[in-house]
Amino acid sequence: MGNRSSSSSSRMTLDTICTKLAAGDFKNVVIMCGAGVSTAAGVPDFRSPSAGIYFKLRKYNLPYPEAIFEGSYFRKNPLPFYSLVRDIFPEKLCPTTTHKFFRLLMDKGILTRIYTQNIDALEFLAGLPPEKVVDAHGTFLRSYCMKCNKNYDLGWLKHEIFHPLTNNGIPKCSSCGGIVRPDIILFGESLPARFWSTSHTDFGECDLLIVFGTSLAVAPFNSLVGKPRQGVPRVYINRTKPGQTGLVGWLMGLGRSIDFRDKDDVVALGDCDSTVIKMCNDMNWGDELNNIKVITMEAEMI
């Protein structure tokens, strides 16, 4: 964990974090988040293995299950990918309570950046501007034609995905007829340059790191937790302990130990939304959280 060291004395607690947040002691908060923040919105984790997703893949006649998430296979045959998205992606997109909390931190002027593994664009529907979000694995917010590079937005792509009879199941460019793909990072593709260019400064200057809804089992995203300076509090909020990927992840070799054992670390096991609600109530931010306005993208809107 870099220069971070462990100690058992004067351990930080979530109550202490809330007290300091409410008092305005933190000025540069960095968020890391994963699929757990979007569970309540019905959004699955596309990139991480799960028994449910891999069970669905059997009907696509793939050479091997992981091929559906590989960039090289998508370029040859995008139909299985879009079929899977149509099977498991919710027709209604609405940010969760945790996404509202991100927005609240921004409104209070203390959010430096969000680093997300998610591709669902819910941070943007919660009102966060692109400059506040680093999409480590890309996002469905943007899509582009692989032939002429024409850009499309989330509403257009969602409409095309859920109306397969109009395009034989594959979104096509309205200008040249080329295949349109979401601006996401598939396996075998490089992470966006912005992931590397902003992280050094953001994590070097942050005075609080909060990790939401990710097992921190996938590199290089998980390496970011070691970047804050020694003594900077780090809060981990998730249903499972850091580094736990479950049986499928272990079988695929994705397991990797990430420790949160320093005296300034807090591990709060549980549901992200429930934990956020408790934190905001403890800080007397409950009304502000409830008053955050977000965009809900209904099927009827597209």
Side-chain angles (χ1 to χ4, degrees):
M1 194 76 62
N3 294 322
R4 301 185 67 91
S5 60
S6 299
S7 173
S8 59
S9 62
S10 303
R11 293 198 65 84
M12 189 71 68
T13 67
L14 191 59
D15 288 341
T16 305
I17 295 294
C18 290
T19 299
K20 289 178 173 290
L21 269 173
D25 292 348
F26 298 122
K27 307 296 184 183
N28 297 292
V29 181
V30 171
I31 300 289
M32 292 173 62
C33 64
V37 304
S38 297
T39 301
V43 178
D45 182 4
F46 289 95
R47 288 178 50 105
S48 294
S50 72
I53 289 180
Y54 275 77
F55 180 79
K56 291 177 181 291
L57 296 184
R58 296 191 301 179
K59 65 182 179 182
Y60 297 129
N61 196 29
L62 299 165
Y64 46 91
E66 296 82 6
I68 200 168
F69 301 115
E70 292 183 352
S72 58
Y73 189 80
F74 180 92
R75 289 185 286 274
K76 297 176 182 176
N77 182 15
L79 183 59
F81 175 83
Y82 279 120
S83 298
L84 178 65
V85 171
R86 196 158 43 248
D87 277 349
I88 63 179
F89 203 76
E91 292 192 35
K92 176 182 177 180
L93 282 175
C94 183
T96 67
T97 299
T98 304
H99 292 103
K100 290 182 179 181
F101 180 65
F102 299 164
R103 166 71 180 277
L104 182 58
L105 293 177
M106 184 189 74
D107 290 350
K108 288 182 175 293
I110 61 175
L111 177 68
T112 297
R113 204 96 59 196
I114 297 170
Y115 287 76
T116 179
Q117 294 174 291
N118 299 333
I119 59 177
D120 50 43
L122 289 176
E123 294 87 4
F124 303 103
L125 295 182
L128 289 150
E131 60 267 22
K132 284 293 184 182
V133 182
V134 174
D135 308 293
H137 298 158
T139 176
F140 269 77
L141 182 72
R142 305 174 299 269
S143 53
Y144 62 93
C145 174
M146 297 172 64
K147 184 177 180 180
C148 73
N149 289 320
K150 181 175 180 177
N151 294 318
Y152 294 90
D153 61 19
L154 176 62
W156 182 92
L157 181 64
K158 195 166 183 290
H159 178 275
E160 294 300 303
I161 289 174
F162 284 102
H163 292 81
L165 296 180
T166 65
N167 52 33
N168 293 319
I170 302 174
K172 305 291 197 319
C173 179
S174 60
S175 295
C176 72
I179 295 171
V180 175
R181 66 166 283 179
D183 190 17
I184 62 173
I185 308 301
L186 296 169
F187 292 143
E189 298 176 336
S190 300
L191 269 61
R194 190 161 173 260
F195 175 84
W196 307 105
S197 64
T198 61
S199 60
H200 180 74
T201 300
D202 287 350
F203 285 82
E205 296 180 355
C206 82
D207 52 18
L208 174 65
L209 171 64
I210 311 180
V211 181
F212 283 100
T214 170
S215 63
L216 294 174
V218 178
F221 187 84
N222 59 8
S223 67
L224 297 178
V225 299
K227 289 183 175 292
R229 304 180 312 278
Q230 186 172 348
V232 171
R234 303 181 305 172
V235 180
Y236 178 87
I237 301 171
N238 193 36
R239 289 184 179 274
T240 60
K241 294 179 181 179
Q244 291 186 341
T245 60
L247 176 60
V248 177
W250 179 79
L251 289 173
M252 293 188 65
L254 295 182
R256 182 171 180 175
S257 175
I258 298 293
D259 292 330
F260 273 71
R261 298 178 182 175
D262 294 358
K263 67 181 181 65
D264 299 302
D265 292 340
V266 177
V267 175
L269 298 183
D271 174 72
C272 291
D273 283 358
S274 298
T275 305
V276 162
I277 290 171
K278 183 181 184 304
M279 290 174 64
C280 286
N281 287 338
D282 290 347
M283 295 185 290
N284 292 318
W285 290 4
D287 289 342
E288 293 175 88
L289 182 71
N290 292 332
N291 289 331
I292 294 290
K293 304 299 182 184
V294 300
I295 297 173
T296 299
M297 183 169 285
E298 304 266 7
E300 291 75 18
M301 292 175 56
I302 55 179

